[in-house]
Amino acid sequence: MTDQALPLATSRIERRTRSFNFPHLIGRGVTYLLLSLAAFVSIFPFFWMVVGATNRSVDIGIGKATFGDQLFVNAANFFATVDAPRVFWNSAFIALVGTVLTLAISSLAGYGFEMFRSRFRERIFALMLLLLSIPFAALMVPLFVMISQFKLVGTVAAVVLPGIASIFIIFYFRQATKAFPGELRDAARVDGLNEWQIFFYIYLPTMRSTYAAAIIIVFMANWNNYLWPLIVLNKPEQKTATLVISALTSSYTPDFGMILFGTILATLPTLIIFFLLQRRFVEGMLGAVK
């Protein structure tokens, strides 16, 4: 071996030795193990739901974890028991209206908190964040009294209105607005745009990833809302999917196969929304501005 080849061979051996760094490999293995366990814990309930929808209630009760042949029977029982079109329309209407109004109000508030300065701005915002610590259970009674005084009990407005000024979404939009380029706003003002035009023509298209993430969060919250609709919706024809499926479990002999089939149907809209917007969701949660 020549004098020139010896250092090359030595450097290759050192690189291979570093590549077989056992503590590093052990750490990586532990990381993958923990991630695998977390993925299993996250996916297993969904797997159990799908498997249970294909089995009889008795099989589910004994813990059968394999697919059965009762899917169509459970589907037929569900559609015979539940007015599915009406129930899912109620949920969809409440979720869509709630999402649109919440994004409209909360994004404007978040934009205003960041773009307009005043001496009381931070104090008001701090007070709003403090209100997040109050549990909803403490607000239900006064909120119900207020809704009753306005004679809104039993209406969609009673479900939607309390959540349209979401403090969390306002906070989320304010934090995202910090990444909004101030030069764009200044240039738009030079071009003669007023504040509303800047918001709709400049801010909204630029922050589309933020809006996509907020759509997923707000739509899921409205679709899965249970406690407040249970209180204010007092007519059977107004019930949402979460209320109806929950009511199916209250019988003496619940049909778990039918209930799990209904749960799958109730899960599909949120899954579809998430998969359609998942790329934007990641960008929005990371604070990306396009």
Side-chain angles (χ1 to χ4, degrees):
M1 183 177 294
T2 63
D3 294 338
Q4 236 176 0
L6 185 58
L8 290 174
T10 304
S11 62
R12 288 175 184 171
I13 293 173
E14 289 177 353
R15 283 199 299 270
R16 289 177 182 175
T17 303
R18 285 196 297 268
S19 64
F20 289 101
N21 189 339
F22 288 103
H24 177 71
L25 292 176
I26 292 173
R28 180 176 293 181
V30 171
T31 301
Y32 285 139
L33 177 62
L34 293 176
L35 290 175
S36 299
L37 289 174
F40 175 78
V41 171
S42 301
I43 295 173
F44 182 77
F46 183 78
F47 170 78
W48 179 261
M49 177 178 66
V50 174
V51 169
T54 66
N55 286 306
R56 299 177 301 167
S57 185
V58 176
D59 297 328
I60 297 171
I62 63 176
K64 182 183 176 185
T66 56
F67 288 96
D69 57 357
Q70 298 295 305
L71 176 62
F72 295 105
V73 175
N74 293 330
N77 291 338
F78 178 79
F79 288 113
T81 305
V82 176
D83 185 6
R86 167 62 64 181
V87 166
F88 284 99
W89 163 250
N90 292 339
S91 289
F93 184 73
I94 289 173
L96 290 174
V97 172
T99 300
V100 171
L101 292 179
T102 301
L103 291 184
I105 301 298
S106 299
S107 64
L108 280 170
Y111 176 85
F113 267 114
E114 182 60 27
M115 291 298 184
F116 300 103
R117 303 187 179 278
S118 70
R119 29 182 317 202
F120 299 109
R121 181 185 68 168
E122 296 302 328
R123 295 179 183 179
I124 296 173
F125 192 71
L127 177 62
M128 290 176 56
L129 294 181
L130 184 63
L131 294 177
L132 280 175
S133 63
I134 302 176
F136 181 72
L139 301 175
M140 285 191 302
V141 173
L143 191 58
F144 183 78
V145 172
M146 186 185 303
I147 293 295
S148 299
Q149 290 177 346
F150 285 104
K151 302 185 185 303
L152 294 176
V153 175
T155 65
V156 173
V159 181
V160 172
L161 287 179
I164 60 174
S166 170
I167 298 176
F168 173 76
I169 299 299
I170 293 173
F171 169 77
Y172 172 70
F173 270 100
R174 186 191 179 183
Q175 294 303 113
T177 305
K178 292 180 183 295
F180 181 73
E183 297 81 3
L184 287 178
R185 187 168 178 242
D186 296 336
R189 283 179 169 175
V190 171
D191 290 339
L193 272 66
N194 59 39
E195 206 63 46
W196 285 105
Q197 291 172 324
I198 293 173
F199 180 83
F200 284 110
Y201 298 135
I202 307 297
Y203 176 83
L204 200 151
T206 304
M207 306 296 289
R208 57 182 180 271
S209 296
T210 303
Y211 275 91
I215 286 172
I216 294 175
I217 295 170
V218 177
F219 182 87
M220 289 180 65
N222 282 281
W223 181 271
N224 295 324
N225 195 7
Y226 172 76
L227 184 57
W228 184 241
L230 179 65
I231 295 172
V232 297
L233 296 180
N234 49 18
K235 297 179 182 178
E237 63 271 14
Q238 296 175 328
K239 300 297 183 181
T240 60
T242 53
L243 299 180
V244 171
I245 293 173
S246 176
L248 294 176
T249 64
S250 61
S251 61
Y252 289 106
T253 56
D255 188 345
F256 292 114
M258 177 185 70
I259 293 170
L260 289 174
F261 177 81
T263 306
I264 291 176
L265 293 183
T267 306
L268 286 178
T270 55
L271 285 178
I272 292 171
I273 292 292
F274 179 79
F275 284 120
L276 288 176
L277 300 175
Q278 61 176 330
R279 186 172 67 86
R280 296 291 184 189
F281 176 78
V282 174
E283 292 176 353
M285 295 306 291
L286 292 175
V289 176
K290 297 294 183 183

